[in-house]
Amino acid sequence: MTETSRLAMGPKPGVNYPLDVLYCGNCSMPIEYCEYYPEYEKCKQWLERNLPSEFEKIKVNDDTTEGGGDEEKKRQKRGGKGMMKTKKKDDGPKQVCVSRAPRGKKKSVTVVTGMSSFGIDLKVAAKFFGTKFACGSSVTGDDEIVIQGDVKDDLFDVIPEKWPEIDEDFIEDLGDQKR
């Protein structure tokens, strides 16, 4: 009974409600938690530009906690928003390759490769091909879309129409391939 009597119900005396919480524009966390973000230096820069009064408070706290040591504070790297990897873009030849591969005895699939070099989202492209040709279409590899059926000839008109950055000259016909 004594434990529950210590926990008072209602607002705490001396605290103004509702509480105002300031959020960092870099990491989108409350500014008290910026120091736990992997890219703390960018948060400091944002605070210095946008909230100079809060930056001074944090600057004073950093000076007192370091103790004048020259060694850099080592931070544990963790996953999350700040650790997202950017996709590498190849500067190689930009070309879309279209081929037909057998599937079963009398059926075939059309394979499209090279669309990601133009910055096109493969999932969106596969969904578009599936609805356009009324068939199944999926992303199977890093840069490969498989469309059910033989729609190779139609792709030479459809791709430049949907994505103007891909000219017909960038589309290569590889013919029939073994799968």
Side-chain angles (χ1 to χ4, degrees):
M1 286 276 196
T2 58
E3 229 177 278
T4 55
S5 62
R6 282 191 273 163
L7 298 175
M9 298 288 284
K12 292 184 180 181
V15 177
N16 295 330
Y17 291 96
L19 297 176
D20 290 328
V21 179
L22 298 173
Y23 292 95
C24 176
N26 183 49
C27 64
S28 71
M29 293 190 285
I31 58 174
E32 300 88 35
Y33 295 106
C34 284
E35 64 182 281
Y36 303 110
Y37 190 67
E39 297 172 356
Y40 182 45
E41 293 304 316
K42 289 183 181 179
C43 291
K44 279 185 178 179
Q45 292 170 2
W46 185 89
L47 276 173
E48 187 175 19
R49 277 182 277 132
N50 298 324
L51 298 171
S53 61
E54 296 297 323
F55 177 72
E56 291 299 321
K57 292 177 187 175
I58 288 182
K59 190 176 172 185
V60 169
N61 289 342
D62 283 351
D63 292 343
T64 58
T65 56
E66 282 183 22
D70 288 334
E71 46 181 279
E72 225 177 274
K73 194 176 184 183
K74 293 190 178 181
R75 301 194 173 279
Q76 183 178 3
K77 301 281 184 186
R78 294 183 184 241
K81 181 181 172 188
M83 303 305 291
M84 285 194 282
K85 294 182 180 178
T86 57
K87 293 182 180 178
K88 294 180 182 177
K89 301 226 176 178
D90 296 329
D91 293 334
K94 289 186 172 185
Q95 195 164 25
V96 176
C97 299
V98 179
S99 63
R100 192 177 72 187
R103 183 180 73 93
K105 293 184 179 179
K106 296 180 181 179
K107 300 186 183 225
S108 62
V109 294
T110 305
V111 180
V112 181
T113 57
M115 289 189 75
S116 66
S117 63
F118 288 92
I120 296 170
D121 187 12
L122 296 180
K123 289 182 180 180
V124 172
K127 177 85 171 171
F128 171 74
F129 292 142
T131 55
K132 176 75 176 175
F133 301 120
C135 64
S137 177
S138 63
V139 179
T140 57
D142 289 339
D143 189 19
E144 183 179 75
I145 298 174
V146 174
I147 306 166
Q148 292 180 2
D150 183 11
V151 294
K152 182 174 67 170
D153 297 331
D154 298 332
L155 286 174
F156 290 100
D157 299 327
V158 171
I159 291 175
E161 184 181 311
K162 174 72 174 170
W163 296 282
E165 64 266 19
I166 303 176
D167 194 39
E168 279 190 39
D169 300 335
F170 294 133
I171 302 173
E172 182 183 353
D173 185 4
L174 298 179
D176 291 348
Q177 301 284 322
K178 286 186 178 178
R179 220 163 153 178

